[in-house]
Amino acid sequence: PAQPGIAAGPATNTGASTTPATTTPESAPAAAPMLIYTADFALRVERERFGDVLDRVLASARERGGYLVARNDTSIQVRVPSSRFHESVTAVEGSGEVLRRNVAASDVSEEFHDAEVRLQNLRAVRQRLEEFLRRAGSMAEALQVEHELERVTAEIDRLQGRMRFLAARVAFSLISVTLEPRPTVIAAPRTVEVMPPRRVLNLPVRWLHELGLDRLLNLSGED
């Protein structure tokens, strides 16, 4: 059997129309958007678990084909393949109490397409400049063409670098995680109310006891 894209030989006319099918702009499939995904999390966990949680986030990213970007004692940044971004986000959410979550997608399709068009035009300009340089009639003319050729080449390199950067950011999404400790609750000590000692009065007259004078004096002392 013929391989795709290689003609197997002259076609035999069987009466069917041999007019090649044409694709109109309306029927052409739309190009998938180029999206750069980012996620920023703040998680609350016990301080003694900070190291374990950061290790878990890194291990989860590496299991999905990602890699470490930066890490310190309280935060970590990893990149994961964009095709596994959503499941990576779900894994992070299960690592602690989510205090803040910010997930965003930036569409760079237009910027990338504009860079492609400009790169194609610059390559055509460079080709014409190289032809002019070969036909330069004087040293001054050659130097002028070389100067312009260097400028165009530098712009081509810059555009190629930008396109590589965008492609890399589209391929791998950034996930940032910051940890915050759970507040420590300290119970306030209970206070025990100490009652003043009861005063004992030795009254010289017995009938004063009968009137309850000593009890009244003790009550006034308690107030």
Side-chain angles (χ1 to χ4, degrees):
Q3 296 180 0
I6 301 178
T12 303
N13 187 356
T14 58
S17 173
T18 58
T19 304
T22 57
T23 303
T24 62
E26 292 78 7
S27 62
M34 299 184 66
L35 301 177
I36 297 178
Y37 290 102
T38 58
D40 189 8
F41 286 92
L43 303 180
R44 175 178 289 166
V45 297
E46 291 77 9
R47 185 176 293 277
E48 59 271 17
R49 294 184 56 234
F50 274 20
D52 293 338
V53 172
L54 296 177
D55 289 342
R56 184 187 306 174
V57 172
L58 178 57
S60 175
R62 286 175 171 169
E63 288 173 2
R64 293 168 172 81
Y67 58 92
L68 175 67
V69 176
R71 175 176 176 171
N72 57 31
D73 293 338
T74 60
S75 65
I76 190 171
Q77 285 186 324
V78 294
R79 288 195 179 276
V80 297
S82 296
S83 58
R84 310 193 70 177
F85 173 74
H86 294 291
E87 62 182 274
S88 299
V89 165
T90 301
V92 169
E93 291 174 338
S95 301
E97 179 187 353
V98 179
L99 298 179
R100 296 183 299 277
R101 178 196 300 106
N102 183 19
V103 180
S106 176
D107 191 346
V108 296
S109 306
E110 184 176 354
E111 180 183 354
F112 193 88
H113 175 70
D114 291 345
E116 280 184 319
V117 173
R118 180 162 175 76
L119 182 61
Q120 183 178 358
N121 293 336
L122 286 171
R123 284 171 173 166
V125 171
R126 182 174 63 179
Q127 184 176 359
R128 291 196 298 269
L129 288 172
E130 290 172 346
E131 294 174 357
F132 292 157
L133 183 60
R134 287 192 294 267
R135 298 198 304 265
S138 65
M139 181 62 69
E141 184 178 339
L143 290 175
Q144 184 178 1
V145 174
E146 283 182 352
H147 178 74
E148 185 65 15
L149 186 59
E150 289 176 359
R151 186 192 67 80
V152 172
T153 302
E155 182 65 12
I156 289 175
D157 292 340
R158 188 192 68 80
L159 281 175
Q160 288 177 330
R162 180 61 180 173
M163 292 172 67
R164 284 192 298 267
F165 173 82
L166 293 176
R169 291 297 178 262
V170 169
F172 282 85
S173 303
L174 180 66
I175 298 178
S176 304
V177 180
T178 301
L179 302 182
E180 297 184 12
R182 293 185 184 278
T184 302
V185 179
I186 301 177
R190 297 180 59 186
T191 58
V192 179
E193 183 177 357
V194 179
M195 301 296 294
R198 185 179 181 85
R199 291 185 296 176
V200 179
L201 300 178
N202 294 320
L203 299 178
V205 182
R206 181 174 181 177
W207 59 267
L208 291 178
H209 284 286
E210 296 176 356
L211 291 177
L213 181 60
D214 58 340
R215 184 176 61 82
L216 293 175
L217 290 174
N218 279 295
L219 289 178
S220 63
E222 293 175 1
D223 295 336

